[in-house]
Amino acid sequence: MEKKVVMAVDIGGAKYAVGLVRENGTIICKRRYDWKHISAESVIEEICVSMQEMMAANPWEIVHSIGITITGLTDPMTGVWISSCFMDIYELPVGRMIRERFGCPVFIENDCNASAVAERQFGLCKKTDHFVYLTVSNSIGGALFLNGRLYRGGRGFAGEIGNCWVDEELPTSRGNKNKGKRNALENVASGRGLVQTYLKLGGDKKIEGETPDGVGIALLAKEGDLIAQKAFEMEGRYLGQVIATCIMLLNPERVIIGGGVAMSFELFKESLMETVKTEAKSLRGYFPKIQVTALGYDSGLLGAAAIALCELDC
């Protein structure tokens, strides 16, 4: 029996990835790209050119469908990219546009929802019917997998965890605290938020001549830099507040964290778990497993493949 091969496209705010993936989750080949320019027209053109190049380089692989993960709000039923404020793209019929170029079925999904489906198919949640998935990267997304299926909510936007608000009791360089101040989780705990926390705590505005980013701050923390370590401690507190709420509300078996910041999980795991146990203390130890995705940086790409494969199997 011929094995299905999917063309997977993972669209991010700064970069995108294209790959060929088999139905068992094996990535045949992949390549990551920086955007040359970001606009509705150029995004479509760039990913189409990249897909054509990959097909030309692998002529023996027959592509059955195309799966696309998208940052921001999507309508999987119509194939419309509803909005991405970060990229200034709105109401783009990406599904129809790609289908007209390649002549095969195209399926789109929000990147975090797709990553959750991939975790269920290929990762830690193969036997898990109830879990919450967070993507912590330049932004923060969330997905709810409940009763054995992706839960979308009444309008399809369920799981927007990054827009939940948390208490921002951030110690300043003078030792005071911003008592009572609240902010959206995405603003304080995304990669961008981690950098801002580091700077507010008095961290260096340049790390080896470059503007700080999550990777650089993680390296400093591992080397013993106290400010970097404190920034990651606050990262755990912020994420822990929202995860605790999710646990109390949804009673998941697992909480999976993906995205670039998740790769530094050990730096904020202790404060995250402390916060969860404090704010969800009524559970008395009946906490879900809180883990980093098993799919690493390929979770988005595998998510794109997973949504296409799920639709083909329906």
Side-chain angles (χ1 to χ4, degrees):
M1 182 176 180
E2 184 181 4
K3 299 290 186 181
K4 295 187 181 75
V5 174
V6 172
M7 175 68 74
V9 181
D10 180 26
I11 295 178
K15 301 180 179 182
Y16 69 101
V18 176
L20 294 175
V21 182
R22 298 196 192 283
E23 59 184 322
N24 63 357
T26 299
I27 297 176
I28 301 167
C29 56
K30 64 180 178 180
R31 186 174 176 185
R32 299 187 184 276
Y33 303 82
D34 293 319
W35 294 114
K36 296 176 182 176
H37 179 68
I38 295 179
S39 69
E41 296 77 13
S42 62
V43 163
I44 295 297
E45 186 60 29
E46 286 186 42
I47 62 176
C48 283
V49 169
S50 299
M51 286 192 288
Q52 288 167 344
E53 291 176 349
M54 186 157 288
M55 287 178 174
N58 298 272
W60 52 87
E61 302 292 355
I62 299 174
V63 174
H64 287 75
S65 63
I66 298 171
I68 304 175
T69 56
I70 293 173
T71 180
L73 300 180
T74 65
D75 184 343
M77 296 298 293
T78 63
V80 172
W81 186 350
I82 296 174
S83 69
S84 175
C85 299
F86 184 73
M87 298 177 75
D88 197 29
I89 292 176
Y90 303 93
E91 300 298 333
L92 183 66
V94 60
R96 174 179 60 77
M97 297 171 76
I98 300 296
R99 185 172 61 252
E100 289 176 353
R101 292 280 291 264
F102 291 90
C104 61
V106 178
F107 306 98
I108 75 166
E109 181 58 272
N110 165 269
D111 52 359
C112 196
N113 281 351
S115 293
V117 175
E119 201 71 45
R120 169 60 181 244
Q121 281 194 250
F122 310 126
L124 296 172
C125 296
K126 291 179 180 178
K127 298 181 179 180
T128 305
D129 285 338
H130 312 277
F131 66 93
V132 175
Y133 190 100
L134 285 79
T135 294
V136 186
S137 189
N138 284 331
S139 58
I140 293 182
L144 310 178
F145 205 96
L146 307 174
N147 295 323
R149 62 188 303 172
L150 191 65
Y151 178 76
R152 300 183 185 278
R155 296 295 181 88
F157 305 145
E160 288 297 318
I161 291 170
N163 291 322
C164 295
W165 284 55
V166 297
D167 292 322
E168 188 183 3
E169 292 195 2
L170 178 66
T172 67
S173 57
R174 296 182 181 180
N176 299 319
K177 288 187 175 182
N178 299 318
K179 290 187 179 296
K181 185 177 180 182
R182 289 172 61 75
N183 208 334
L185 179 67
E186 182 169 283
N187 292 338
V188 295
S190 64
R192 295 176 288 109
L194 175 66
V195 171
Q196 290 303 310
T197 300
Y198 170 76
L199 294 174
K200 286 178 181 178
L201 289 169
D204 294 331
K205 295 182 179 179
K206 296 288 183 179
I207 298 177
E208 296 185 355
E210 301 291 335
T211 301
D213 60 13
V215 174
I217 296 171
L219 289 174
L220 287 178
K222 291 174 183 177
E223 292 170 357
D225 184 283
L226 295 180
I227 294 177
Q229 290 176 349
K230 185 64 177 179
F232 274 103
E233 178 190 332
M234 298 305 300
E235 175 77 16
R237 290 189 196 179
Y238 296 142
L239 290 171
Q241 290 179 51
V242 173
I243 289 173
T245 299
C246 290
I247 290 171
M248 294 301 299
L249 185 65
L250 301 172
N251 189 30
E253 300 168 80
R254 296 175 188 259
V255 175
I256 306 296
I257 306 176
V261 176
M263 300 304 109
S264 300
F265 183 59
E266 292 303 318
L267 294 174
F268 60 88
K269 178 180 179 180
E270 183 176 351
S271 60
L272 186 153
M273 294 303 302
E274 179 182 345
T275 302
V276 168
K277 290 177 180 179
T278 298
E279 300 204 1
K281 60 184 177 183
S282 62
L283 291 179
R284 295 186 179 183
Y286 290 93
F287 297 108
K289 292 182 179 179
I290 300 177
Q291 301 168 283
V292 177
T293 175
L295 307 179
Y297 287 106
D298 290 325
S299 59
L301 200 64
L302 289 170
I307 60 167
L309 290 166
C310 283
E311 293 291 345
L312 287 173
D313 290 337
C314 288

